[in-house]
Each structure stands twice: as structure tokens, then as C-alpha cells.
Amino acid sequence: MPVGPTTRRRQLGADLRRLRERKGLTLEEAGTLVGISKATLSRYERKEGTVKWPAVDALCREYGATDAERSALVELAKGARIQGWWRSLADPVPESMNLMLTLEDEAVSEDHYACMYVPGLLQTRAYAEAVHRASEMRCTEQEIDHMVDIRMKRQALLERTQPPHLWAVIDEAVARRAVGGRQVMRDQLSHLLEQADRPHITVQVLPFATGAHAAAVGSFVILGGSAPELDVVYVDIIGGGLFMEKPAELARYKLAFEYLRAQALDIERSAALLSHVSREL
């Protein structure tokens, strides 16, 4: 799994902080040693903005890092400048989507709980168009087409040689909500069943019969990084989304997802329910 720029930046910040604390230095003390301000070093460790690799090299030397550690961190600093595929699009990507696209492009796993719509990575084009028309009431057809194009391009990550593992727990309401009309929904459910047969995609349905459950607050995605400290939770809200990476927040959502997986139907019964709903349309 290739490591992208945001994952590199986040890993770099975490490692710089670890090395500094191992040396027993404060931010101010460490910054003084290499001629950068406390605020700048704090920004490096908080994974905010760009970072200069010579400063990383100097910090590693002051921290007593091994040659292997220093080389790895310098490479992370250099690689953090690489940009994702969406940067080259003719029409710009809305800023609210930029971080999500970046994190998703670098994820090794995605755990979705969906209570409203089929997760974007598993949507058909017609279904995605219907979702965007309903949620973006003031957008032009050109703007809707652009957003749908981006959603379809996102799905290419599932075709990689080493794709992320996608685990989707979808509420029964998602399967029964007639987005775009009966034929669109039939095609969508058929596509969902086809995708669920792939080894790196797991789909479970949380039935109405479950009653109250662990995520009644709404849909969310846990984007798994190459290391646990790089995991991020994304929660959909109107007009964008919230990203959470504090350990307590991550633990809460990961626990909720474990409960949801346990409460949902198993893979075979989930497929049977989706097939049944499709036949009813």
C-alpha cells in the first residue's frame, strides 16, 4: 500500500514528537537547538502545514536518532509534498472534500456505518447522481456531474493491486430507501451484492429488528492508516464533515463499530436480505 502525502505528514509529526520526548526536551529547548521557533516546531508536531526537510534532519541529529530513523524521517518530509490525483482535475475539488480524498487515498482500511445512503465507494453512477441532486438543491447539472465524476474516480482505489479493505455495515433503511426510483435501486442493490463478493469488501445489514443500537447518532467512517496512531474518524454533516483523531474519540467510534458488526446480520443473511428487498422493488 503506497503511503501518501497526508499520511507521511501525520507520521512525521508523531515521530518528531516521540523522538523529542525520548530526549526529554521541551518544544522551546528543541527549537532553540536547531534555530526554529517553539511555534514552528509545535506546528511540525501537530502535522499542520509544510515542513522543511533540513530542519527535520537537524532535529533528528539533536534528538540522537539513529541513522535509519533520521533517513526515514527526512524521506517522510520530502514525500509530504507529493499531491493526490484530484489536484490535476480541470475543475477544482471543494475544499471540504480535499482532506477526505487525501485520507481515503492513503487508507489501508475503511469501516463504514451507513444509515442514510450506500457508501460512496459502493454506489452506481445513477444512484450517486440521485443522491447529489437531492442533497445539493442549488447546484447546476455541470456541478452535479463534476461531483459524481469525483465519486466515481474515488472508486478506483478498490481496483488497486493492494486495495484497502472496506467493511460496510448498512442500516436496513439504506436498502429500502428508493433513491432515484425502483430501477436505480434494483441496479444499486445488484451492484452492492456484486461488490460484497469481492475478497476485500464486506457488507453487513443492520436490520430493523435490532432496534436501538450503538450508532443511532448517524453515519461515520473509520479511515485506517498504516499505523493505529494514523487512524481518523470522519462524520458526515450538512455542508461538509468532521474529522476526529483524538485517542478517546477513535476508541469510542471503534467500539461502536464493533458493536454494530456484532448486531448486524452475518454476510450470508445480509446478502439474502438485500436480494429480498431487490425482488420487492
Side-chain angles (χ1 to χ4, degrees):
M1 175 64 64
V3 180
T6 299
T7 293
R8 289 189 183 96
R9 185 65 185 84
R10 297 173 69 225
Q11 184 68 65
L12 177 62
D15 285 347
L16 286 174
R17 180 174 181 176
R18 175 180 57 81
L19 289 173
R20 177 178 60 78
E21 292 178 343
R22 187 176 75 183
K23 189 68 173 179
L25 295 171
T26 65
L27 284 167
E28 188 170 8
E29 290 169 341
T32 299
L33 288 172
V34 298
I36 62 176
S37 69
K38 174 183 176 181
T40 297
L41 182 52
S42 176
R43 178 170 55 79
Y44 282 10
E45 293 187 5
R46 293 200 310 272
K47 301 149 279 192
E48 296 175 357
T50 57
V51 60
K52 297 178 179 179
W53 72 261
V56 171
D57 183 80
L59 285 166
C60 286
R61 293 178 189 277
E62 294 294 343
Y63 292 159
T66 65
D67 288 343
E69 287 175 323
R70 179 167 56 84
S71 177
L73 264 63
V74 168
E75 287 305 308
L76 283 174
K78 291 178 178 179
R81 294 179 177 274
I82 299 170
Q83 300 297 328
W85 56 265
W86 53 95
R87 297 289 192 178
S88 62
L89 295 176
D91 294 318
V93 171
E95 192 57 37
S96 60
M97 288 186 62
N98 183 59
L99 181 56
M100 178 59 180
L101 289 171
T102 303
L103 293 170
E104 185 172 71
D105 193 52
E106 300 164 12
V108 298
S109 66
E110 290 196 24
D111 293 337
H112 290 251
Y113 169 63
C115 65
M116 181 64 68
Y117 299 124
V118 171
L121 291 177
L122 301 176
Q123 292 179 5
T124 65
R125 186 175 188 92
Y127 184 96
E129 288 175 350
V131 168
H132 277 291
R133 285 198 175 91
S135 58
E136 307 292 343
M137 294 79 73
R138 297 185 178 181
C139 285
T140 65
E141 283 299 308
Q142 182 179 356
E143 289 170 329
I144 289 173
D145 285 344
H146 177 52
M147 298 302 291
V148 173
D149 284 343
I150 292 172
R151 181 157 296 186
M152 295 299 103
K153 285 185 172 69
R154 281 173 55 200
Q155 296 178 3
L157 66 86
L158 296 177
E159 308 303 324
R160 291 174 177 169
T161 304
Q162 292 181 288
H165 186 272
L166 191 157
W167 196 308
V169 175
I170 66 172
D171 195 278
E172 185 176 342
V174 173
R176 295 189 178 278
R177 181 171 289 107
V179 175
R182 290 186 175 183
Q183 189 57 52
V184 169
M185 276 307 299
R186 287 194 196 102
D187 293 343
Q188 176 60 71
L189 292 175
S190 176
H191 179 69
L192 191 57
L193 287 165
E194 290 172 4
Q195 292 296 299
D197 274 340
R198 306 178 73 181
H200 58 286
I201 298 175
T202 303
V203 176
Q204 289 181 271
V205 177
L206 187 68
F208 289 144
T210 299
H213 55 78
V217 292
S219 302
F220 63 87
V221 184
I222 303 171
L223 296 149
S226 54
E229 64 268 21
L230 299 178
D231 294 351
V232 179
V233 172
Y234 174 81
V235 180
D236 253 331
I237 60 173
I238 294 177
L242 295 175
F243 294 90
M244 292 175 279
E245 58 180 338
K246 293 180 180 177
E249 295 168 338
L250 286 168
R252 182 176 182 180
Y253 277 91
K254 287 179 179 179
L255 181 61
F257 193 74
E258 288 300 315
Y259 273 101
L260 289 165
R261 289 199 298 193
Q263 292 173 300
L265 300 175
D266 62 27
I267 295 170
E268 290 75 19
R269 288 190 295 162
S270 293
L273 189 149
L274 292 173
S275 297
H276 175 73
V277 173
S278 182
R279 289 193 298 270
E280 286 184 336
L281 289 169

